[in-house]
Amino acid sequence: VKELERFPPDYAEEIRGVARAAEVPVWYIFVINICYELIGLCTSLVAQSDDGQIWHARNLDLGIFLGTDAENHTWSLTHPLRDALVDVTFVKGDETIFTSTTYAGFVGVHSGMKASKFEEPFALTMNSRFDD
């Protein structure tokens, strides 16, 4: 995939490695990884309950431009993508660095959470929007 040469080297190698491990063509994993840039639109929110608990939520509503499933009141891609949805724990040594909910084959993090007894916990999400 010629366009992969424009990516940072570590990121490009990760895409190649996922393709090798999954035994699929590199272009397939490349497309999965640029798909969000083309048809993103996930939504996140942060809210605080009356007792001070902070909630950070994200819907993975990828697929707005690919049609709707009127029977289930979702986007057409919602149900097919559920089988690819995974929770990943990133560790260094014996310590959990952060966790992420993502799609198998996706390189990088769209949603990440870090809980810690010693540091302030945090969460982040990446979203997209299209302006006129």
Side-chain angles (χ1 to χ4, degrees):
V1 176
K2 181 180 176 186
E3 290 78 8
L4 199 53
E5 295 171 14
R6 300 174 74 185
F7 282 62
D10 289 346
Y11 190 82
E13 186 52 36
E14 186 83 11
I15 288 174
R16 289 184 193 99
V18 169
R20 279 191 304 273
E23 298 179 350
V24 297
V26 172
W27 68 262
Y28 185 81
I29 302 300
F30 175 77
V31 169
I32 288 172
N33 281 273
I34 65 166
C35 188
Y36 186 82
E37 301 300 325
L38 303 173
I39 58 171
L41 296 176
C42 294
T43 305
S44 298
L45 68 92
V46 177
Q48 186 171 9
S49 63
D50 290 340
D51 65 357
Q53 178 71 39
I54 295 177
W55 296 88
H56 184 179
R58 178 190 183 138
N59 67 357
L60 296 169
D61 57 354
L62 178 68
I64 189 172
F65 299 118
L66 301 176
T68 58
D69 177 346
E71 182 178 329
N72 295 300
H73 305 287
T74 62
W75 307 121
S76 296
L77 275 180
T78 299
H79 292 286
L81 285 176
R82 283 193 178 150
D83 289 340
L85 196 61
V86 294
D87 289 321
V88 180
T89 302
F90 294 81
V91 297
K92 184 175 185 179
D94 292 335
E95 181 184 355
T96 296
I97 305 300
F98 63 94
T99 58
S100 175
T101 299
T102 189
Y103 293 104
F106 184 78
V107 175
V109 174
H110 280 149
S111 299
M113 293 79 45
K114 178 178 175 112
S116 175
K117 294 184 254 181
F118 308 107
E119 301 172 1
E120 288 293 321
F122 72 90
L124 63 90
T125 55
M126 179 175 71
N127 298 290
S128 64
R129 71 180 216 190
F130 301 93
D131 293 334
D132 292 336

PDB file of all heavy atoms in Angstrom, residues 3 13 17 32 47 56 60 119 128-129 131-132:
ATOM      1  N   GLU A   3       0.239   4.412   0.018  1.00  0.00           N
ATOM      2  CA  GLU A   3      -0.146   5.486   0.940  1.00  0.00           C
ATOM      3  C   GLU A   3       0.365   5.244   2.353  1.00  0.00           C
ATOM      4  O   GLU A   3       0.547   6.172   3.122  1.00  0.00           O
ATOM      5  CB  GLU A   3      -1.675   5.652   0.954  1.00  0.00           C
ATOM      6  CG  GLU A   3      -2.235   6.233  -0.317  1.00  0.00           C
ATOM      7  CD  GLU A   3      -2.327   5.211  -1.460  1.00  0.00           C
ATOM      8  OE1 GLU A   3      -2.102   4.002  -1.224  1.00  0.00           O
ATOM      9  OE2 GLU A   3      -2.613   5.634  -2.586  1.00  0.00           O
ATOM     10  N   GLU A  13       4.191   0.099  10.519  1.00  0.00           N
ATOM     11  CA  GLU A  13       4.637  -1.262  10.831  1.00  0.00           C
ATOM     12  C   GLU A  13       3.599  -2.007  11.661  1.00  0.00           C
ATOM     13  O   GLU A  13       3.411  -3.208  11.502  1.00  0.00           O
ATOM     14  CB  GLU A  13       5.990  -1.245  11.548  1.00  0.00           C
ATOM     15  CG  GLU A  13       6.560  -2.627  11.768  1.00  0.00           C
ATOM     16  CD  GLU A  13       6.638  -3.496  10.505  1.00  0.00           C
ATOM     17  OE1 GLU A  13       6.905  -2.967   9.404  1.00  0.00           O
ATOM     18  OE2 GLU A  13       6.411  -4.719  10.611  1.00  0.00           O
ATOM     19  N   GLY A  17       1.943  -5.469  10.719  1.00  0.00           N
ATOM     20  CA  GLY A  17       1.970  -6.580  11.667  1.00  0.00           C
ATOM     21  C   GLY A  17       0.587  -7.154  11.927  1.00  0.00           C
ATOM     22  O   GLY A  17       0.425  -8.377  12.005  1.00  0.00           O
ATOM     23  N   ILE A  32      -9.376  -0.275   7.165  1.00  0.00           N
ATOM     24  CA  ILE A  32     -10.019  -0.265   8.481  1.00  0.00           C
ATOM     25  C   ILE A  32      -9.508   0.920   9.306  1.00  0.00           C
ATOM     26  O   ILE A  32     -10.272   1.582  10.001  1.00  0.00           O
ATOM     27  CB  ILE A  32      -9.752  -1.586   9.231  1.00  0.00           C
ATOM     28  CG1 ILE A  32     -10.549  -2.720   8.597  1.00  0.00           C
ATOM     29  CG2 ILE A  32     -10.064  -1.459  10.717  1.00  0.00           C
ATOM     30  CD1 ILE A  32     -10.203  -4.085   9.137  1.00  0.00           C
ATOM     31  N   ALA A  47     -20.377  13.655  32.132  1.00  0.00           N
ATOM     32  CA  ALA A  47     -21.430  14.155  33.019  1.00  0.00           C
ATOM     33  C   ALA A  47     -21.045  13.847  34.456  1.00  0.00           C
ATOM     34  O   ALA A  47     -20.226  12.961  34.722  1.00  0.00           O
ATOM     35  CB  ALA A  47     -22.764  13.499  32.682  1.00  0.00           C
ATOM     36  N   HIS A  56     -17.943   9.194  31.884  1.00  0.00           N
ATOM     37  CA  HIS A  56     -17.443   9.498  30.538  1.00  0.00           C
ATOM     38  C   HIS A  56     -17.951   8.377  29.644  1.00  0.00           C
ATOM     39  O   HIS A  56     -17.609   7.218  29.848  1.00  0.00           O
ATOM     40  CB  HIS A  56     -15.921   9.544  30.551  1.00  0.00           C
ATOM     41  CG  HIS A  56     -15.321   9.941  29.240  1.00  0.00           C
ATOM     42  ND1 HIS A  56     -13.974  10.063  29.076  1.00  0.00           N
ATOM     43  CD2 HIS A  56     -15.859  10.241  28.040  1.00  0.00           C
ATOM     44  CE1 HIS A  56     -13.711  10.422  27.842  1.00  0.00           C
ATOM     45  NE2 HIS A  56     -14.841  10.520  27.192  1.00  0.00           N
ATOM     46  N   LEU A  60     -20.262   4.294  19.783  1.00  0.00           N
ATOM     47  CA  LEU A  60     -19.472   3.974  18.592  1.00  0.00           C
ATOM     48  C   LEU A  60     -20.434   3.916  17.413  1.00  0.00           C
ATOM     49  O   LEU A  60     -20.709   2.861  16.863  1.00  0.00           O
ATOM     50  CB  LEU A  60     -18.735   2.650  18.803  1.00  0.00           C
ATOM     51  CG  LEU A  60     -17.693   2.677  19.917  1.00  0.00           C
ATOM     52  CD1 LEU A  60     -17.204   1.271  20.243  1.00  0.00           C
ATOM     53  CD2 LEU A  60     -16.522   3.560  19.530  1.00  0.00           C
ATOM     54  N   GLU A 119      -2.089   8.003  40.886  1.00  0.00           N
ATOM     55  CA  GLU A 119      -2.186   9.201  40.043  1.00  0.00           C
ATOM     56  C   GLU A 119      -3.651   9.517  39.808  1.00  0.00           C
ATOM     57  O   GLU A 119      -4.525   8.701  40.052  1.00  0.00           O
ATOM     58  CB  GLU A 119      -1.510   8.947  38.691  1.00  0.00           C
ATOM     59  CG  GLU A 119      -0.060   8.570  38.778  1.00  0.00           C
ATOM     60  CD  GLU A 119       0.497   8.135  37.417  1.00  0.00           C
ATOM     61  OE1 GLU A 119      -0.249   8.160  36.422  1.00  0.00           O
ATOM     62  OE2 GLU A 119       1.665   7.767  37.370  1.00  0.00           O
ATOM     63  N   SER A 128     -15.113  13.035  15.642  1.00  0.00           N
ATOM     64  CA  SER A 128     -14.999  13.846  14.434  1.00  0.00           C
ATOM     65  C   SER A 128     -16.320  14.525  14.166  1.00  0.00           C
ATOM     66  O   SER A 128     -17.364  14.094  14.638  1.00  0.00           O
ATOM     67  CB  SER A 128     -14.601  12.981  13.223  1.00  0.00           C
ATOM     68  OG  SER A 128     -15.615  12.044  12.950  1.00  0.00           O
ATOM     69  N   ARG A 129     -16.239  15.590  13.429  1.00  0.00           N
ATOM     70  CA  ARG A 129     -17.460  16.254  12.974  1.00  0.00           C
ATOM     71  C   ARG A 129     -17.158  16.880  11.631  1.00  0.00           C
ATOM     72  O   ARG A 129     -16.016  17.138  11.278  1.00  0.00           O
ATOM     73  CB  ARG A 129     -17.936  17.270  13.986  1.00  0.00           C
ATOM     74  CG  ARG A 129     -17.084  18.494  14.083  1.00  0.00           C
ATOM     75  CD  ARG A 129     -17.632  19.433  15.106  1.00  0.00           C
ATOM     76  NE  ARG A 129     -17.421  20.804  14.647  1.00  0.00           N
ATOM     77  CZ  ARG A 129     -17.617  21.847  15.386  1.00  0.00           C
ATOM     78  NH1 ARG A 129     -18.047  21.709  16.605  1.00  0.00           N
ATOM     79  NH2 ARG A 129     -17.426  23.053  14.918  1.00  0.00           N
ATOM     80  N   ASP A 131     -18.015  20.104   9.357  1.00  0.00           N
ATOM     81  CA  ASP A 131     -18.587  21.442   9.297  1.00  0.00           C
ATOM     82  C   ASP A 131     -18.886  21.810   7.848  1.00  0.00           C
ATOM     83  O   ASP A 131     -18.231  21.339   6.928  1.00  0.00           O
ATOM     84  CB  ASP A 131     -17.602  22.473   9.867  1.00  0.00           C
ATOM     85  CG  ASP A 131     -17.396  22.287  11.360  1.00  0.00           C
ATOM     86  OD1 ASP A 131     -18.306  21.765  12.020  1.00  0.00           O
ATOM     87  OD2 ASP A 131     -16.337  22.672  11.864  1.00  0.00           O
ATOM     88  N   ASP A 132     -19.847  22.682   7.689  1.00  0.00           N
ATOM     89  CA  ASP A 132     -20.149  23.186   6.338  1.00  0.00           C
ATOM     90  C   ASP A 132     -19.060  24.127   5.887  1.00  0.00           C
ATOM     91  O   ASP A 132     -18.405  24.783   6.595  1.00  0.00           O
ATOM     92  CB  ASP A 132     -21.497  23.917   6.327  1.00  0.00           C
ATOM     93  CG  ASP A 132     -22.638  22.932   6.563  1.00  0.00           C
ATOM     94  OD1 ASP A 132     -22.467  21.736   6.280  1.00  0.00           O
ATOM     95  OD2 ASP A 132     -23.707  23.390   7.007  1.00  0.00           O
TER      96      ASP A 132
END
